[in-house]
Amino acid sequence: MHTVLTITGAASVKDSTIPIQGIEPGSNPRAALHSLNVQGIDRAIAAEVIKHHHYLHSFPGGTKLSLGVFDRKRLSGALTLGVGPKNAHCLVENTSADDCLTLTRLWLSDDLPSNSESRVLAMVVKLLRKHTTIKFLLSYADPSSGHVGTIYQAAGWLYIGLSAAMSLYDLGDGVARHSRSVGQIFGSHSIAHLTKNGINVKTIPQSPKYRYVCFVDPAWQSRLRVPVLPYPKKEKSDGSN
Amino acid sequence: MEVIEIPIEKLKMAPWNPNKMDTKMQAYLKTSLTSFGLVQNLVVRPLGDGSYEVLSGNQRLSVLKEMGMKTAPCFVRELDDSHARLLTQALNRVQGEDDLGLKAESMKKILESLSQQEVMEILPDSFASLNALQTLNTDNIADRLMNWESNRHARLKHMGFQLTLDQQQVVQQALNLMTPKAKASNSESPNINGTALYLICKDFIENKGE
């Protein structure tokens, strides 16, 4: 039975037998971390998990790999790797889009112990290094959702500055669409082209995102075209860092 | 709490209960009730005129009527309107959710002795979703990644061009002119249009853009 220490009086400390959620009897958080396992999962199952649990509640288009995070037999998380922003691979010299994947979604159950995210990211990088020719991973943290990329920082990913602010598009129905979706519908997301052809389109400005890179093949780090910067810090509620 | 068998005709559906079930799901419920019987009691409140309003089990009541059942076992609670609605909301919405990993384990056990067909008469799962669950956590991640790696190398590269109608006609005409050469070129690519475009570009480069 996993135990927690409970202070019951000014000077007394005794063992409590209250189990911590998600930690099975006989285990401890460190052991629980080592019980995590990453497996390939069916795209439909990944979509179900991500749509239900991830804060964006959407499954990203362009997903190339869907992975599940298992805590013994429980499916306690899921992540997707896929196509990121167009030409994002150009952040690294002499690369093609095939050398790079973007971590587009990651969700882990709150029941998992702390540090599970960095453990899972390390496992994914190790698997990609061993079994694929992927050279680097990119990921983005959205400051407008209060994210600075803490998990990437904890996992030792490199911070490479803010991405360009991409706008979303409203075609008059109030739905915010990615430029790629608009391009799939009309063949272009050029405002001039759409307006000229009578499409009522409005842009919805988005804030730039914190950009992180992880070199699956460390030898490729020397090809990075942009400087590695100090990690951004989460703003405190009083506006200070 | 006492369970009372109440005649079906005395049970009234709560018209304000927002819980809905489509006919497909009702068919699953009917199969389940036929196979296992009513294993979950209805929750009702007395209306004061000898009838009872169903707070939980409106869908089951509908199917029980269809099946010609005479009575249903009910938990009876005396509640005012607000509390009746609150309890209904709680019964409709406060529930757990399946962990997909453990659900997959459970489905594997079920399918060891029952056919997919039999399972699909009771549960709203498709063949695809049952198969996906059956293979969950059984993959070898190394095999999957190596398979993915070889597939992506086998896949021909895709380039998308967006053209106006006039431009498309000119490009198609050029591709048509090059098609015989493309077919005769013994290219490694099985895509004739792609090979024709490649040959046009190659000619262009060899002629230094003239």
Side-chain angles (χ1 to χ4, degrees):
Chain A
M1 172 74 70
H2 182 84
T3 58
V4 289
L5 293 175
T6 317
I7 299 171
T8 54
S12 71
V13 174
K14 73 169 190 180
D15 283 353
S16 159
T17 53
I18 302 165
I20 293 176
Q21 194 181 9
I23 299 175
E24 291 181 6
S27 68
N28 60 50
R30 198 172 171 80
L33 265 187
H34 288 277
S35 74
L36 293 180
N37 184 24
V38 174
Q39 287 287 344
I41 56 172
D42 189 270
R43 187 186 169 91
I45 288 183
E48 189 178 332
V49 173
I50 293 290
K51 281 181 188 173
H52 186 63
H53 293 290
H54 191 269
Y55 77 98
L56 290 175
H57 299 293
S58 66
F59 191 71
T63 294
K64 293 185 171 184
L65 278 170
S66 306
L67 303 175
V69 179
F70 291 86
D71 176 13
R72 298 176 184 86
K73 290 180 175 177
R74 286 179 186 272
L75 180 58
S76 297
L79 61 106
T80 55
L81 295 162
V83 181
K86 197 176 179 188
N87 297 327
H89 64 276
C90 298
L91 288 162
V92 178
E93 244 172 21
N94 296 326
T95 56
S96 76
D98 277 353
D99 295 320
C100 160
L101 282 174
T102 298
L103 176 64
T104 44
R105 297 285 186 278
L106 168 63
W107 169 79
L108 293 185
S109 165
D110 290 342
D111 291 347
L112 294 179
S114 53
N115 300 328
S116 293
E117 287 89 352
S118 24
R119 168 93 182 150
V120 166
L121 289 176
M123 289 164 84
V124 169
V125 169
K126 196 173 169 187
L127 285 164
L128 292 174
R129 185 179 296 143
K130 193 167 178 190
H131 302 296
T132 74
T133 54
I134 292 295
K135 304 301 182 192
F136 61 101
L137 297 177
L138 291 167
S139 197
Y140 298 82
D142 187 357
S144 67
S145 298
H147 300 159
V148 293
T150 310
I151 59 169
Y152 308 118
Q153 296 178 12
W157 289 36
L158 307 174
Y159 174 60
I160 50 172
L162 289 163
S163 66
M166 302 286 285
S167 289
L168 296 177
Y169 295 75
D170 177 357
L171 300 175
D173 56 4
V175 178
R177 292 180 174 83
H178 193 274
S179 60
R180 195 173 280 146
S181 304
V182 176
Q184 276 168 0
I185 300 169
F186 295 106
S188 168
H189 61 269
S190 154
I191 301 286
H193 170 75
L194 294 172
T195 308
K196 191 178 158 190
N197 285 279
I199 308 298
N200 176 21
V201 59
K202 274 184 284 188
T203 53
I204 308 165
Q206 299 293 295
S207 56
K209 294 181 175 56
Y210 296 122
R211 208 167 40 181
Y212 289 86
V213 63
C214 170
F215 284 93
V216 177
D217 182 344
W220 280 48
Q221 190 176 330
S222 58
R223 301 189 189 193
L224 187 61
R225 282 187 159 138
V226 291
V228 175
L229 301 171
Y231 288 141
K233 289 176 185 166
K234 211 164 210 165
E235 269 193 15
K236 290 181 183 162
S237 52
D238 62 1
S240 63
N241 278 333
Chain B
M1 196 184 299
E2 200 181 353
V3 177
I4 305 170
E5 283 286 336
I6 298 177
I8 291 281
E9 69 269 13
K10 287 194 174 181
L11 297 174
K12 291 182 178 168
M13 288 189 187
W16 43 262
N17 187 344
N19 185 262
K20 300 287 173 212
M21 189 181 271
D22 62 23
T23 50
K24 203 174 166 189
M25 202 60 86
Q26 278 204 337
Y28 288 117
L29 181 59
K30 190 174 178 180
T31 314
S32 173
L33 287 172
T34 309
S35 305
F36 300 109
L38 183 67
V39 293
Q40 201 178 359
N41 299 324
L42 277 56
V43 180
V44 303
R45 66 168 175 162
L47 289 176
D49 59 356
S51 67
Y52 297 83
E53 188 169 54
V54 178
L55 308 182
S56 172
N58 283 286
Q59 313 299 347
R60 277 168 280 155
L61 176 62
S62 166
V63 174
L64 290 173
K65 279 182 180 171
E66 202 184 313
M67 290 166 68
M69 299 297 285
K70 302 291 180 213
T71 62
C74 303
F75 285 122
V76 182
R77 283 297 308 263
E78 293 210 21
L79 294 168
D80 61 30
D81 283 354
S82 299
H83 285 95
R85 285 171 191 254
L86 182 61
L87 174 61
T88 297
Q89 282 292 309
L91 291 169
N92 286 351
R93 290 162 48 194
V94 180
Q95 52 190 285
E97 58 181 325
D98 284 350
D99 174 279
L100 287 180
L102 296 182
K103 180 181 172 183
E105 283 292 311
S106 209
M107 294 308 294
K108 277 177 221 166
K109 287 276 179 205
I110 293 168
L111 290 164
E112 277 171 16
S113 52
L114 301 178
S115 70
Q116 281 200 336
Q117 191 59 44
E118 204 173 340
V119 172
M120 286 168 57
E121 282 170 11
I122 301 281
L123 299 177
D125 286 292
S126 62
F127 274 117
S129 66
L130 282 182
N131 287 335
L133 280 173
Q134 274 187 285
T135 56
L136 192 67
N137 208 7
T138 58
D139 258 16
N140 180 317
I141 183 74
D143 289 345
R144 181 180 277 240
L145 288 177
M146 285 188 287
N147 192 32
W148 175 77
E149 179 72 17
S150 50
N151 282 350
R152 78 191 187 107
H153 285 295
R155 194 178 305 128
L156 297 177
K157 302 299 171 210
H158 181 262
M159 285 181 85
F161 298 99
Q162 314 302 334
L163 305 168
T164 63
L165 189 60
D166 291 347
Q167 289 173 336
Q168 189 195 23
Q169 283 171 351
V170 171
V171 172
Q172 192 59 58
Q173 200 180 344
L175 291 175
N176 291 346
L177 284 171
M178 191 56 90
T179 294
K181 264 194 184 177
K183 282 182 177 169
S185 70
N186 293 324
S187 163
E188 278 182 18
S189 167
N191 187 295
I192 298 297
N193 262 346
T195 303
L197 180 62
Y198 159 74
L199 291 173
I200 290 168
C201 295
K202 194 163 167 265
D203 273 3
F204 183 77
I205 291 166
E206 281 168 3
N207 292 320
K208 297 192 166 57
E210 286 171 16

